[in-house]
Amino acid sequence: MPTARPSLNPGPAPRHSRIVGVGGYRPRRVVPNSEIIGPIDSSDQWIQERSGIKSRRFASEDETIIAMSSSAAKGALAMAGITADQLGCVIVSTVTFMYNTPAAAPILANELGATKAAAFDISAACAGYCHGIALASDMVKSGTSDYVLVVGVERLSDFTDPCDRGTAFIFGDGAGAAIVGPSEVAGIGPTVWGSEGARWDAIVQREPWNEVVAAGRQKPAIVMQGQAVFRWAVWSMAPVAQQAIDAAGITINDLDAFIPHQANMRIIDSMIKTLKLPEGIPVARDIAETANTSAASIPLATERMLREGQAPHGGLALQIGFGAGLVYAAQVIVLP
Ligand code: UT7
């Protein structure tokens, strides 16, 4: 480097980060398995046995990506005890916003009154929330932002083929949100994340938009190689969860909650076994009434566990997201 060039301001001294509030929005309409089974020649019993799902919520017209996100964000802001104008950044994780551009985040920021916030979307499917927490944590730690809103939101019912046996019963709609802010002590452990793009077609929009238009169809559906994804989740994700525990410098016995992506109750049970999670540590099982809401599933489950007293405020929770890409991310967090 030329010596005459002035050195750049390195920014504020690094500090710690933590989640200071969470919120959730569940659409009004409850859809039991009995409403799904007709077109896929299935049964309530099969769906419950294979996935643990009893019902899901489907968004109505007015429960848009922005409206659901806004409601979840307001809950998170209230718990954090801050106002929207204190947000330095808004990150929305979604794969079901109907606009390719602009992103949902600036519209949400405007709706909330977060007039000073940077705002952008990320696309990391069911791992999107954990990706968002990783970004937000680094932003707060480095001083890029004081408070960051992370929203995971999906209207998967818009992208589900009701006649596809592999997916019609599995997806639901909703929004979950978290505020990440500065902390005296470390409140978000290191993120363990990665991708396996060679398996991009394991969970995929059936055809790209240009082919949908060329074929005169209205919109594409998300399809999944169910068994392959199931095996990947069961075999590959428990080691990632263990790495997140190790990276946090704790042991599994220190956890106060396990909040995995709500993909399938059998995947959750199998991860518990592989991780040897001690009995008595509460596990998120929101999937039974909420189904798989992709990016929204972990914050929705977190909000519920705290609200219902299943997990303690200030306790340590392991969260792990995994899905289309294939992509994954996990970290240990201190619950708000
Ligand atoms: O969120 C992103 C990550 N996603 C996931 O992690 C999802 C991972 N995959 C899964 O959760 C499971 O693969 C499913 C729940 C989607 C499916 O369960 P499965 O145990 O893998 O079912 P399968 O596809 O192996 O099918 C088992 C049997 C078959 O019958 P035979 O050949 O054994 O006679 C299917 O024909 O069940 C039959 N079947 C159904 N029966 C009733 C398949 N789909 C249905 C259905 N209703 N919807």
Side-chain angles (χ1 to χ4, degrees):
M1 262 229 237
T3 45
R5 187 178 286 168
S7 54
L8 296 177
N9 178 358
R15 57 185 173 177
H16 295 299
S17 63
R18 65 169 291 182
I19 296 175
V20 289
V22 291
Y25 180 81
R26 295 162 196 273
R28 293 182 299 272
R29 191 157 90 83
V30 176
V31 180
N33 289 340
S34 55
E35 272 190 49
I36 304 285
I37 55 182
I40 54 172
D41 184 24
S42 190
S43 67
D44 177 45
Q45 191 191 353
W46 188 94
I47 295 173
Q48 287 205 42
E49 278 174 12
R50 292 286 171 149
S51 70
I53 297 169
K54 295 180 184 157
S55 60
R56 74 285 292 138
R57 305 286 185 110
F58 280 173
S60 303
E61 212 174 314
D62 62 315
E63 293 170 311
T64 61
I65 289 283
I66 303 297
M68 293 195 293
S69 300
S70 175
S71 180
K74 283 175 187 161
L77 286 165
M79 188 190 280
I82 65 159
T83 49
D85 61 345
Q86 290 175 266
L87 292 172
C89 185
V90 172
I91 301 172
V92 173
S93 179
T94 184
V95 293
T96 50
F97 189 48
M98 286 293 182
Y99 283 90
N100 273 0
T101 194
I107 305 172
L108 174 63
N110 180 60
E111 168 101 8
L112 291 169
T115 47
K116 296 194 285 279
F120 58 90
D121 291 2
I122 57 173
S123 174
C126 307
Y129 173 73
C130 294
H131 279 67
I133 293 297
L135 296 180
S137 177
D138 286 353
M139 283 181 195
V140 170
K141 286 202 276 193
S142 64
T144 308
S145 293
D146 284 338
Y147 290 100
V148 180
L149 166 64
V150 178
V151 175
V153 56
E154 306 290 359
R155 278 180 61 110
L156 284 155
S157 58
D158 287 339
F159 287 87
T160 302
D161 175 354
C163 299
D164 177 26
R165 288 188 113 194
T167 53
F169 62 93
I170 212 151
F171 293 131
D173 301 339
I179 309 285
V180 177
S183 169
E184 300 279 303
V185 292
I188 299 175
T191 297
V192 177
W193 58 359
S195 65
E196 291 181 37
R199 306 181 68 188
W200 68 276
D201 57 350
I203 310 170
V204 66
Q205 186 174 306
R206 195 179 270 148
E207 61 271 284
W209 280 105
N210 55 332
E211 288 178 23
V212 174
V213 173
R217 279 193 282 277
Q218 288 193 317
K219 53 186 185 193
I222 294 169
V223 289
M224 181 167 63
Q225 294 165 21
Q227 277 192 18
V229 176
F230 190 96
R231 279 197 297 271
W232 171 72
V234 163
W235 293 111
S236 305
M237 290 304 103
V240 171
Q242 185 60 52
Q243 284 169 37
I245 293 170
D246 298 342
I250 63 163
T251 74
I252 199 160
N253 300 305
D254 297 318
L255 289 175
D256 298 295
F258 177 42
I259 313 181
H261 167 48
Q262 305 290 290
N264 182 319
M265 198 73 89
R266 289 190 294 137
I267 293 176
I268 296 171
D269 286 332
S270 147
M271 284 177 93
I272 291 170
K273 242 191 228 164
T274 314
L275 280 168
K276 299 192 174 63
L277 188 78
E279 249 179 72
I281 293 181
V283 176
R285 295 185 180 280
D286 190 37
I287 187 167
E289 288 90 27
T290 313
N292 177 343
T293 56
S294 190
S297 88
I298 293 173
L300 271 175
T302 307
E303 186 274 337
R304 181 179 185 165
M305 289 184 94
L306 289 172
R307 180 167 38 82
E308 295 184 349
Q310 295 167 35
H313 292 281
L316 290 177
L318 167 64
Q319 54 185 27
I320 176 166
F322 47 89
L326 296 169
V327 300
Y328 56 88
Q331 61 262 118
V332 175
I333 57 132
V334 175
L335 289 163

Coordinates of all heavy atoms in Angstrom, one line a residue, residues 233-298:
A233 N -31.5 -34.5 5.6 CA -31.8 -33.8 6.9 C -31.4 -34.6 8.1 O -30.7 -34.2 9.0 CB -33.2 -33.4 6.9
V234 N -31.8 -35.9 8.0 CA -31.5 -36.8 9.1 C -30.0 -37.1 9.3 O -29.5 -37.0 10.4 CB -32.3 -38.1 8.9 CG1 -31.8 -39.2 9.8 CG2 -33.8 -37.9 9.2
W235 N -29.3 -37.3 8.2 CA -27.9 -37.7 8.4 C -26.9 -36.6 8.4 O -25.9 -36.6 9.1 CB -27.5 -38.6 7.2 CG -28.2 -39.9 7.2 CD1 -29.1 -40.4 6.4 CD2 -28.0 -41.0 8.2 NE1 -29.6 -41.6 6.7 CE2 -28.9 -42.0 7.9 CE3 -27.2 -41.1 9.3 CZ2 -29.0 -43.2 8.6 CZ3 -27.3 -42.3 10.1 CH2 -28.2 -43.3 9.7
S236 N -27.2 -35.5 7.7 CA -26.2 -34.4 7.6 C -26.4 -33.3 8.6 O -25.5 -32.5 8.9 CB -26.2 -33.9 6.2 OG -26.0 -34.9 5.3
M237 N -27.7 -33.1 9.0 CA -27.9 -31.9 9.8 C -27.6 -32.0 11.3 O -27.2 -31.0 12.0 CB -29.4 -31.4 9.6 CG -29.6 -30.8 8.2 SD -28.5 -29.5 7.8 CE -27.3 -30.2 6.7
A238 N -27.7 -33.2 11.9 CA -27.3 -33.4 13.3 C -25.8 -33.0 13.5 O -25.5 -32.3 14.5 CB -27.6 -34.8 13.8
P239 N -24.9 -33.4 12.6 CA -23.5 -33.0 12.8 C -23.3 -31.5 12.7 O -22.5 -30.9 13.4 CB -22.7 -33.7 11.6 CG -23.6 -34.9 11.3 CD -25.0 -34.5 11.6
V240 N -24.1 -30.8 11.9 CA -24.0 -29.4 11.8 C -24.5 -28.7 13.1 O -23.9 -27.8 13.6 CB -24.9 -28.8 10.6 CG1 -25.0 -27.3 10.6 CG2 -24.3 -29.3 9.2
A241 N -25.6 -29.3 13.6 CA -26.1 -28.8 14.9 C -25.0 -29.0 16.0 O -24.8 -28.1 16.8 CB -27.3 -29.5 15.3
Q242 N -24.3 -30.1 16.0 CA -23.3 -30.4 17.0 C -22.1 -29.4 16.8 O -21.6 -28.9 17.8 CB -22.8 -31.9 16.9 CG -21.8 -32.3 17.9 CD -22.3 -32.2 19.4 OE1 -23.4 -32.7 19.7 NE2 -21.6 -31.4 20.3
Q243 N -21.8 -29.1 15.6 CA -20.7 -28.1 15.3 C -21.1 -26.8 15.9 O -20.2 -26.0 16.4 CB -20.4 -28.0 13.8 CG -19.6 -29.2 13.2 CD -19.6 -29.1 11.7 OE1 -19.6 -28.0 11.1 NE2 -19.7 -30.3 11.1
A244 N -22.3 -26.4 15.8 CA -22.8 -25.1 16.3 C -22.7 -25.1 17.8 O -22.3 -24.1 18.4 CB -24.2 -24.8 15.9
I245 N -23.0 -26.2 18.5 CA -22.9 -26.3 19.9 C -21.4 -26.2 20.3 O -21.0 -25.4 21.2 CB -23.4 -27.7 20.4 CG1 -24.9 -27.7 20.2 CG2 -23.0 -27.9 21.9 CD1 -25.5 -29.1 20.5
D246 N -20.5 -26.9 19.6 CA -19.1 -26.9 19.9 C -18.5 -25.4 19.7 O -17.8 -24.9 20.5 CB -18.3 -27.8 19.0 CG -18.7 -29.3 19.2 OD1 -19.3 -29.6 20.3 OD2 -18.4 -30.1 18.4
A247 N -18.9 -24.8 18.6 CA -18.4 -23.5 18.2 C -18.9 -22.5 19.3 O -18.1 -21.5 19.6 CB -19.0 -23.0 16.9
A248 N -20.0 -22.7 19.9 CA -20.5 -21.8 21.0 C -19.7 -22.0 22.3 O -19.9 -21.2 23.2 CB -22.0 -22.0 21.2
G249 N -19.0 -23.1 22.4 CA -18.2 -23.3 23.6 C -19.0 -23.8 24.7 O -18.7 -23.6 25.9
I250 N -20.1 -24.6 24.4 CA -21.0 -25.1 25.4 C -21.1 -26.6 25.2 O -20.6 -27.1 24.1 CB -22.4 -24.5 25.5 CG1 -23.1 -24.7 24.1 CG2 -22.2 -23.0 25.8 CD1 -24.6 -24.5 24.2
T251 N -21.8 -27.3 26.0 CA -22.1 -28.7 25.7 C -23.6 -28.8 25.6 O -24.4 -27.9 25.9 CB -21.7 -29.7 26.9 OG1 -22.6 -29.5 27.9 CG2 -20.3 -29.5 27.3
I252 N -24.1 -30.0 25.0 CA -25.5 -30.1 24.7 C -26.3 -30.0 26.0 O -27.5 -29.6 26.0 CB -25.8 -31.4 23.9 CG1 -27.1 -31.4 23.3 CG2 -25.6 -32.7 24.8 CD1 -27.3 -32.3 22.1
N253 N -25.7 -30.4 27.2 CA -26.4 -30.4 28.4 C -26.7 -28.9 28.9 O -27.6 -28.7 29.8 CB -25.6 -31.0 29.5 CG -25.3 -32.5 29.2 OD1 -26.2 -33.3 28.9 ND2 -24.0 -32.9 29.1
D254 N -26.0 -28.0 28.3 CA -26.2 -26.6 28.7 C -27.5 -26.0 28.0 O -27.9 -24.8 28.4 CB -25.0 -25.7 28.3 CG -23.8 -26.2 29.1 OD1 -23.9 -26.5 30.3 OD2 -22.7 -26.2 28.4
L255 N -28.0 -26.7 27.0 CA -29.1 -26.1 26.3 C -30.4 -26.0 27.1 O -30.7 -26.9 27.9 CB -29.4 -26.9 25.0 CG -28.4 -26.8 23.9 CD1 -28.7 -27.8 22.7 CD2 -28.3 -25.4 23.3
D256 N -31.2 -25.0 26.9 CA -32.5 -24.8 27.5 C -33.6 -25.1 26.5 O -34.8 -25.1 26.9 CB -32.7 -23.4 28.1 CG -31.6 -23.2 29.2 OD1 -31.7 -23.9 30.2 OD2 -30.8 -22.3 29.0
A257 N -33.3 -25.2 25.2 CA -34.3 -25.4 24.2 C -33.6 -25.8 22.9 O -32.5 -25.4 22.6 CB -35.1 -24.2 23.9
F258 N -34.3 -26.7 22.1 CA -33.8 -27.0 20.8 C -34.9 -26.6 19.8 O -36.1 -27.1 19.9 CB -33.6 -28.6 20.7 CG -33.2 -29.1 19.4 CD1 -32.3 -28.4 18.6 CD2 -33.7 -30.3 18.9 CE1 -31.9 -28.9 17.3 CE2 -33.4 -30.8 17.7 CZ -32.4 -30.1 16.9
I259 N -34.5 -25.7 18.9 CA -35.5 -25.2 18.0 C -35.1 -25.4 16.5 O -34.6 -24.5 15.9 CB -35.8 -23.6 18.3 CG1 -35.9 -23.4 19.8 CG2 -37.0 -23.1 17.5 CD1 -36.2 -22.0 20.2
P260 N -35.3 -26.6 16.0 CA -34.9 -26.9 14.6 C -36.0 -26.4 13.7 O -37.2 -26.2 14.1 CB -34.9 -28.4 14.6 CG -35.9 -28.9 15.6 CD -35.9 -27.8 16.7
H261 N -35.6 -26.3 12.4 CA -36.6 -26.0 11.4 C -37.7 -27.0 11.4 O -37.4 -28.2 11.6 CB -35.9 -26.0 10.0 CG -36.9 -26.0 8.8 ND1 -37.9 -25.2 8.7 CD2 -36.9 -26.8 7.7 CE1 -38.6 -25.4 7.6 NE2 -38.0 -26.4 7.0
Q262 N -38.9 -26.6 11.3 CA -40.1 -27.4 11.4 C -40.4 -28.1 10.1 O -41.3 -27.6 9.4 CB -41.3 -26.7 12.0 CG -41.0 -26.0 13.3 CD -40.8 -26.9 14.5 OE1 -41.8 -27.5 14.9 NE2 -39.6 -27.1 15.0
A263 N -39.6 -29.1 9.7 CA -39.7 -29.7 8.3 C -40.6 -30.9 8.4 O -41.4 -31.2 7.5 CB -38.4 -30.1 7.8
N264 N -40.4 -31.7 9.4 CA -41.2 -33.0 9.6 C -40.9 -33.5 11.0 O -39.7 -33.4 11.5 CB -40.6 -34.0 8.6 CG -41.3 -35.3 8.6 OD1 -41.6 -35.8 9.7 ND2 -41.6 -35.9 7.5
M265 N -41.9 -33.9 11.7 CA -41.8 -34.3 13.1 C -40.8 -35.4 13.2 O -40.0 -35.6 14.2 CB -43.1 -34.7 13.7 CG -43.1 -34.7 15.2 SD -43.1 -33.0 15.9 CE -44.9 -32.7 16.0
R266 N -40.8 -36.3 12.2 CA -39.9 -37.5 12.3 C -38.4 -37.0 12.1 O -37.5 -37.7 12.6 CB -40.2 -38.5 11.2 CG -41.5 -39.2 11.5 CD -41.7 -40.4 10.5 NE -41.9 -39.9 9.2 CZ -41.4 -40.5 8.1 NH1 -40.6 -41.5 8.2 NH2 -41.6 -40.0 6.9
I267 N -38.2 -36.0 11.3 CA -36.8 -35.4 11.2 C -36.4 -34.9 12.6 O -35.2 -35.1 13.0 CB -36.7 -34.3 10.1 CG1 -37.0 -34.9 8.7 CG2 -35.4 -33.6 10.2 CD1 -37.0 -33.9 7.6
I268 N -37.3 -34.1 13.2 CA -37.0 -33.6 14.5 C -36.6 -34.7 15.5 O -35.6 -34.6 16.2 CB -38.2 -32.7 15.1 CG1 -38.4 -31.5 14.1 CG2 -37.9 -32.3 16.5 CD1 -39.7 -30.8 14.4
D269 N -37.4 -35.8 15.6 CA -37.2 -36.9 16.5 C -35.9 -37.5 16.2 O -35.1 -37.9 17.1 CB -38.3 -37.9 16.4 CG -39.6 -37.4 17.0 OD1 -39.5 -36.6 18.0 OD2 -40.7 -37.8 16.6
S270 N -35.6 -37.7 14.9 CA -34.3 -38.4 14.6 C -33.1 -37.5 14.9 O -32.1 -38.0 15.4 CB -34.4 -38.7 13.1 OG -33.2 -38.7 12.5
M271 N -33.2 -36.2 14.8 CA -32.1 -35.3 15.2 C -31.9 -35.4 16.7 O -30.7 -35.4 17.2 CB -32.4 -33.9 14.8 CG -32.2 -33.6 13.3 SD -32.6 -31.9 12.8 CE -31.1 -31.2 12.9
I272 N -33.0 -35.4 17.4 CA -32.9 -35.5 18.9 C -32.1 -36.8 19.3 O -31.2 -36.7 20.1 CB -34.3 -35.6 19.5 CG1 -35.0 -34.3 19.4 CG2 -34.2 -36.0 21.0 CD1 -36.5 -34.3 19.7
K273 N -32.4 -37.9 18.6 CA -31.7 -39.2 18.9 C -30.2 -39.1 18.5 O -29.3 -39.5 19.3 CB -32.4 -40.3 18.0 CG -33.0 -41.3 18.9 CD -33.4 -42.5 18.0 CE -34.8 -42.9 18.3 NZ -35.4 -43.8 17.3
T274 N -29.9 -38.6 17.3 CA -28.5 -38.6 16.8 C -27.7 -37.6 17.7 O -26.5 -37.9 18.0 CB -28.5 -38.1 15.4 OG1 -29.4 -38.8 14.6 CG2 -27.1 -38.3 14.8
L275 N -28.3 -36.5 18.1 CA -27.6 -35.5 18.9 C -27.4 -36.0 20.4 O -26.7 -35.5 21.1 CB -28.3 -34.2 18.9 CG -28.1 -33.3 17.7 CD1 -29.1 -32.1 17.8 CD2 -26.7 -32.7 17.7
K276 N -28.2 -37.0 20.7 CA -28.3 -37.5 22.1 C -28.8 -36.3 23.0 O -28.1 -36.1 24.1 CB -27.0 -38.1 22.6 CG -26.6 -39.4 21.8 CD -25.5 -40.1 22.6 CE -25.2 -41.4 21.9 NZ -24.6 -41.3 20.5
L277 N -29.8 -35.6 22.6 CA -30.3 -34.5 23.4 C -30.9 -35.0 24.7 O -31.7 -35.9 24.7 CB -31.4 -33.8 22.6 CG -31.9 -32.4 23.2 CD1 -30.9 -31.3 22.8 CD2 -33.2 -32.1 22.6
P278 N -30.4 -34.5 25.8 CA -30.9 -35.0 27.1 C -32.4 -34.9 27.2 O -32.9 -33.8 26.8 CB -30.1 -34.2 28.1 CG -29.0 -33.6 27.4 CD -29.3 -33.5 26.0
E279 N -33.0 -35.9 27.8 CA -34.5 -35.8 28.0 C -34.7 -34.6 28.9 O -34.0 -34.3 29.8 CB -35.0 -37.0 28.7 CG -35.8 -37.9 27.8 CD -36.3 -39.1 28.6 OE1 -37.1 -39.0 29.5 OE2 -35.7 -40.2 28.2
G280 N -35.9 -33.9 28.7 CA -36.2 -32.8 29.5 C -35.8 -31.5 28.9 O -36.3 -30.4 29.4
I281 N -35.0 -31.5 27.9 CA -34.7 -30.2 27.2 C -35.8 -30.0 26.2 O -36.1 -30.8 25.3 CB -33.3 -30.2 26.5 CG1 -32.2 -30.3 27.5 CG2 -33.2 -29.0 25.6 CD1 -30.8 -30.3 26.9
P282 N -36.6 -28.9 26.4 CA -37.7 -28.6 25.5 C -37.4 -28.5 24.0 O -36.3 -28.0 23.7 CB -38.3 -27.3 26.0 CG -37.5 -27.0 27.3 CD -36.3 -27.8 27.3
V283 N -38.2 -29.1 23.2 CA -38.0 -29.2 21.8 C -39.2 -28.5 21.1 O -40.4 -28.8 21.4 CB -37.8 -30.6 21.3 CG1 -37.7 -30.7 19.8 CG2 -36.7 -31.3 21.9
A284 N -38.9 -27.6 20.1 CA -40.0 -27.0 19.3 C -40.8 -28.1 18.5 O -40.1 -28.8 17.7 CB -39.5 -25.9 18.4
R285 N -42.1 -28.1 18.6 CA -42.9 -29.0 17.8 C -44.1 -28.3 17.3 O -45.2 -28.8 17.2 CB -43.4 -30.2 18.7 CG -42.2 -31.1 19.2 CD -42.7 -32.3 19.9 NE -41.5 -33.1 20.3 CZ -40.9 -34.0 19.5 NH1 -41.2 -34.1 18.3 NH2 -39.9 -34.7 20.0
D286 N -43.8 -27.1 16.9 CA -44.9 -26.2 16.3 C -45.4 -26.7 15.0 O -46.5 -26.4 14.6 CB -44.2 -24.8 16.1 CG -45.3 -23.7 15.8 OD1 -46.4 -23.8 16.3 OD2 -44.9 -22.8 14.9
I287 N -44.7 -27.6 14.4 CA -45.1 -28.2 13.1 C -46.5 -28.8 13.1 O -47.2 -28.7 12.1 CB -44.1 -29.2 12.5 CG1 -44.4 -29.6 11.1 CG2 -43.9 -30.4 13.4 CD1 -43.4 -30.4 10.3
A288 N -46.9 -29.3 14.3 CA -48.2 -30.0 14.4 C -49.3 -29.1 14.0 O -50.2 -29.6 13.2 CB -48.4 -30.6 15.8
E289 N -49.3 -27.9 14.4 CA -50.4 -27.0 14.0 C -50.0 -25.9 13.0 O -50.9 -25.2 12.5 CB -50.9 -26.2 15.3 CG -51.6 -27.0 16.3 CD -50.7 -27.6 17.3 OE1 -49.6 -27.1 17.6 OE2 -51.1 -28.7 17.8
T290 N -48.7 -25.8 12.6 CA -48.3 -24.8 11.7 C -47.7 -25.3 10.4 O -47.6 -24.6 9.5 CB -47.3 -23.9 12.4 OG1 -47.7 -23.6 13.8 CG2 -47.0 -22.6 11.7
A291 N -47.4 -26.6 10.4 CA -46.8 -27.3 9.2 C -45.4 -26.6 9.0 O -44.9 -26.0 9.9 CB -47.7 -27.2 8.0
N292 N -44.9 -26.8 7.8 CA -43.6 -26.3 7.4 C -43.7 -24.9 6.7 O -44.2 -24.8 5.6 CB -43.0 -27.3 6.5 CG -41.6 -26.9 6.0 OD1 -41.2 -25.7 6.0 ND2 -40.9 -27.9 5.4
T293 N -43.3 -23.9 7.5 CA -43.5 -22.5 6.9 C -42.1 -22.0 6.5 O -41.9 -20.7 6.5 CB -44.1 -21.6 8.0 OG1 -43.3 -21.6 9.2 CG2 -45.5 -21.9 8.3
S294 N -41.2 -22.8 6.1 CA -39.9 -22.5 5.6 C -39.2 -21.4 6.4 O -39.0 -21.6 7.6 CB -40.1 -22.0 4.1 OG -38.8 -21.9 3.5
A295 N -38.9 -20.2 5.9 CA -38.1 -19.2 6.6 C -38.8 -18.8 7.9 O -38.1 -18.3 8.8 CB -37.9 -18.0 5.7
A296 N -40.1 -18.9 8.0 CA -40.9 -18.5 9.2 C -40.9 -19.5 10.3 O -41.2 -19.1 11.5 CB -42.3 -18.1 8.8
S297 N -40.4 -20.7 10.1 CA -40.7 -21.8 11.0 C -40.0 -21.6 12.4 O -40.5 -21.8 13.4 CB -40.5 -23.2 10.4 OG -39.2 -23.6 10.6
I298 N -38.7 -21.2 12.3 CA -37.9 -21.1 13.6 C -38.4 -19.9 14.4 O -38.6 -20.1 15.6 CB -36.4 -21.1 13.3 CG1 -36.0 -22.5 12.7 CG2 -35.6 -20.8 14.5 CD1 -34.6 -22.6 12.2

